[in-house]
Amino acid sequence: MRIAVVGANGRTGRSVVRQARERSIEVTAVARRHGTTPPEPGLSRVAGDVLDRERITDALAGVDAVVSAVGIGTSRQPTELYSAGTANLLNAMAANGVKRVVVISALPVGAGPEHSFADRRIVFPILERIFGATYRDMRRMEALLRDSAADWTSLRPPRLVAAPVTGRYRLDATRPLPGARSISYADLATAVLDVVDRDDLHRRAAYVAN
């Protein structure tokens, strides 16, 4: 298998690339800029911006699945990175005959009655005031995926933290995870790679946490 990791220079993206190579998965690492890292067997580095439809279409040539690890971090500014970027990815996938894509969303994107009272009435309203622009664009991203013909999975993690990889995480595609407060970038990367091969998670959003 060869996967394209879009946003390969971000914290999660770097971990996805590293762990994929440890699993002997071939990787096309797509990022706006690459440093002077020496070439590695099984790893191709491609310069490409997810907002550049032509470049991203070229970047996905020859891959079997796509992982989108793009993000704006803790920015509070309005954005279309997730929705416009995903629209370009879906177009590029169709052009290259690729069906499988895994994207990274966020826990508050799926806010609804299935969440705890404290999350719905206290935690999520606070997060929406701070990061609402990001969550709104992630919701647009998930709507695009639902309307597409792709075999997509959207992972909704809580707060991302820097910590060593443990390989242990919880995942549920039916309901929010109790006590889900954080997950490390490294363990989220593990979950992403595990999910790529899970047919039962096609066209579903899933909650993931440590």
Side-chain angles (χ1 to χ4, degrees), residues 29 35 57 61 77 82 122 166 187 191 202-203:
T57 299
Q77 300 303 311
Y82 301 96
I122 301 172
T166 68
D187 286 336
H202 283 194
R203 302 190 63 80

Side-chain angles (χ1 to χ4, degrees), residues 54-72:
E54 183 176 350
R55 292 294 297 273
I56 207 68
T57 299
D58 292 342
L60 298 194
V63 306
D64 303 297
V66 177
V67 169
S68 177
V70 299
I72 59 171

Side-chain angles (χ1 to χ4, degrees), residues 6 10 12 27 37 68 73 81 96 102 124-125 128-129 173 192 199 202:
V6 184
T12 304
V27 176
T37 309
S68 177
L81 175 66
N96 285 287
V102 178
F124 289 167
E128 285 287 343
R129 285 198 295 272
V192 165
D199 294 344
H202 283 194

Side-chain angles (χ1 to χ4, degrees), residues 4-21:
V5 180
V6 184
N9 280 349
R11 290 186 178 184
T12 304
R14 289 196 302 269
S15 194
V16 172
V17 171
R18 181 174 61 254
Q19 292 185 43
R21 290 305 303 132

